[in-house]
Amino acid sequence: MVDIKQIIKDSAELKQSMLNDCLNEIESAIEIMINAAKKGNKIIWCGNGGSAADSQHMAAELMGGLRSHDRPAIASLALTTDSSFITAWSNDTDYESIFSRQIEALGSEDDILVAISTSGNSTNVINAINTAKAKKLKVIILTGKTGGKMAGMGGISICVPSNDTQRIQECHLLVEHILCESVEESILN
């Protein structure tokens, strides 16, 4: 059996270390997301696996409401939800461009792309970042300790100081909730 207490301690310690390593980047990400939301720009999310689930979760929080359902909707979408497009495009062309193709169609200048990859090496997310930058979207990267190939690619990189996928994912969820809660609060005030 796993050591439950140790897992919880490890998770708590990593979140504590994020205060030193990630706070400035989180604050910068909040600022550009608030500016985008107030101007009516979209906040677009992408990632694979657990990061795909996070993308859908956070887009829903922004559009529907995290703490308040009585506030205006915030334009947000996950590029992970259109199964017809994803399966057709990856079958007919390739999987590496499923996100970049959608950004090509749906992204506009000054929208935000939140690109999530625990390893920082997801080719389809890297391609999304490149397309977003070409279209003048602002890019926020959420990744692990080294940043992988995505290191330095975005305007803001939030690199959780760990190489443990599960712990990185837990921290990404915390950061994503902080981002969404901050954007929502700014819309309410």
Side-chain angles (χ1 to χ4, degrees):
M1 184 164 161
V2 299
D3 186 342
I4 297 168
K5 288 182 181 181
Q6 189 59 52
I7 291 171
I8 293 170
K9 285 179 185 177
D10 290 346
S11 182
E13 287 172 11
L14 180 55
K15 289 178 179 87
Q16 188 67 40
S17 70
M18 285 176 52
L19 286 172
N20 297 323
D21 295 357
C22 302
L23 187 61
N24 291 336
E25 290 80 8
I26 294 168
E27 289 172 342
S28 295
I30 289 167
E31 185 178 320
I32 68 166
M33 287 178 73
I34 288 171
N35 289 336
K38 286 187 174 182
K39 292 178 185 173
N41 294 101
K42 294 181 293 298
I43 299 171
I44 301 169
W45 306 77
C46 72
N48 296 291
S51 301
D54 283 3
S55 296
Q56 294 170 216
H57 179 178
M58 296 305 129
E61 298 289 22
L62 286 178
M63 203 165 349
L66 182 65
R67 292 188 183 269
S68 173
H69 296 95
D70 297 324
R71 55 126 170 112
I74 297 166
S76 188
L77 65 127
L79 301 180
T80 57
T81 59
D82 189 341
S83 60
S84 295
F85 169 77
I86 291 170
T87 56
W89 186 259
S90 60
N91 183 63
D92 296 345
T93 61
D94 60 66
Y95 188 73
E96 288 75 25
S97 60
I98 59 167
F99 300 138
S100 56
R101 182 66 171 192
Q102 291 179 83
I103 290 169
E104 183 182 330
L106 303 170
S108 299
E109 186 172 344
D110 294 329
D111 284 347
I112 306 287
L113 172 65
V114 182
I116 311 166
S117 171
T118 57
S119 70
N121 295 320
S122 301
T123 302
N124 57 5
V125 178
I126 291 168
N127 292 339
I129 293 167
N130 288 329
T131 300
K133 287 167 47 176
K135 290 198 72 174
K136 298 186 173 142
L137 280 74
K138 293 177 174 63
V139 178
I140 299 167
I141 292 173
L142 293 173
T143 190
K145 185 176 189 173
T146 69
K149 293 177 184 173
M150 291 166 50
M153 286 186 70
I156 300 167
S157 293
I158 301 169
C159 301
V160 173
S162 176
N163 293 315
D164 185 326
T165 300
Q166 292 89 296
R167 301 297 86 80
I168 295 168
Q169 289 173 328
E170 292 163 5
C171 291
H172 281 178
L173 185 59
L174 174 62
V175 170
E176 293 155 359
H177 272 133
I178 291 168
L179 296 174
C180 290
E181 188 172 347
S182 300
V183 172
E184 182 174 85
E185 183 180 311
S186 77
I187 297 298
L188 287 169
N189 295 327

